[in-house]
Each structure stands twice: as structure tokens, then as C-alpha cells.
Amino acid sequence: YEVLKGTGIMVLSPEKDVALRIRRFSRRGFSAAYMPRFRDVVIPVSEPGYFVHEYGHALDFCYGNPSRSVEFLPVIAMYRTMVSEAAPDGFDREYYFRPTEVFARSLEVYVMSRAGLCKLQRDVSESPYHPMSVRYVNAVVQYFDSLFVRLC
């Protein structure tokens, strides 16, 4: 994954590698996806910025769901508090508060803080579902820096 150089994201080891598929979607009800059964990150031709988010799901799945670890709980708690305050009334809490979603969205925040905006990353700086407070960003950077050291 030459494309990941400079993003701060850990590259999956060869035995956990995933395929990147860029394709057109037709009435599937989603913009991009990680498909664990096939170990595919699927992103649309028109929106390569979904890659970091879906790669977050791949990392989470391939490394035994660190999104459900004790170490990630403080990030989840902070995320839920901040999103509850910023998101519009009636947002889908069940979806946005899933540990796997928090993990993927937090990876987007991590990459943005480490590498800035790139073509593989959506601009999430104004999204109510991607807290950008200094406190949250620091917690996310500390968590992912530590996780990547443990997994290497």
C-alpha cells in the first residue's frame, strides 16, 4: 500500500492484507464498504475519500476488534459526549455510537491530524460526527500511536 505512506496509518501485514476495489455503485444503499468475507475495501470511483474510513473498518476487523478493547473505551466515551452535543436532533445514535463506527471515524480524525487532508480522506473538519476538539484529537492520536506500536 504505497498510497498509505505519509498518512500515519499502519499498513496491514501481508497475511492480513486486504484488496482495494474501486467501482461504481448501483442502488446498494451505501457509499463505500469494508467486506470482511472477501477482505475488500470497496470505494466508489467518484469518492476516493472514503478509503481511510473503510480502511479503519479493515484494521479493526483484521486485528481482532480493537474498537471493543478497554483501551478504546475513553475515546468512545468522549466521542459519544461530543457527538451528542454537536449532531442534529434525531441522528441515528445506534449507528454512530457503534464501537466499530467510532473506531473508523476516529481513524479519519487521526489521519487528518497526522497527515492533513489527502485524496484518500474526506474533509471531516466540519462534520458533527468527527469531533475535532484539541482534547479529542489528542486522545485519538495517543490511542492510535499506541495501538500501531503494539500491533507492529
Side-chain angles (χ1 to χ4, degrees):
Y1 276 142
E2 286 294 312
V3 294
L4 295 175
K5 286 188 176 179
T7 63
I9 300 178
M10 185 183 96
V11 178
L12 289 168
S13 61
E15 67 273 2
K16 295 182 183 293
D17 215 359
V18 297
L20 171 60
R21 298 189 191 276
I22 301 172
R23 60 187 304 177
R24 287 186 181 11
F25 286 95
S26 60
R27 292 179 257 151
R28 297 221 192 273
F30 55 87
S31 299
Y34 171 63
M35 301 173 152
R37 181 176 177 195
F38 303 107
R39 292 170 58 171
D40 285 350
V41 171
V42 184
I43 59 174
V45 171
S46 60
E47 293 287 339
Y50 284 104
F51 176 77
V52 171
H53 181 91
E54 298 308 329
Y55 191 76
H57 287 305
L59 281 173
D60 192 31
F61 181 82
C62 290
Y63 285 101
N65 297 103
S67 64
R68 299 184 187 282
S69 70
V70 172
E71 294 85 4
F72 194 60
L73 286 176
V75 174
I76 292 173
M78 213 180 311
Y79 175 90
R80 287 178 175 171
T81 298
M82 292 179 172
V83 169
S84 291
E85 294 168 359
D89 291 339
F91 75 97
D92 189 349
R93 279 178 149 59
E94 185 180 329
Y95 172 75
Y96 286 105
F97 288 176
R98 289 177 189 158
T100 55
E101 271 308 303
V102 175
F103 187 89
R105 291 173 190 284
S106 295
L107 183 67
E108 290 179 274
V109 169
Y110 176 80
V111 169
M112 205 161 178
S113 72
R114 283 289 195 218
L117 200 55
C118 66
K119 290 181 181 179
L120 300 173
Q121 166 77 39
R122 300 180 286 169
D123 183 358
V124 296
S125 61
E126 299 296 321
S127 167
Y129 307 109
H130 297 83
M132 297 302 285
S133 74
V134 171
R135 186 172 157 248
Y136 181 74
V137 170
N138 287 341
V140 163
V141 167
Q142 182 179 8
Y143 171 77
F144 281 106
D145 282 350
S146 172
L147 175 68
F148 295 156
V149 166
R150 284 194 317 269
L151 294 178
C152 287

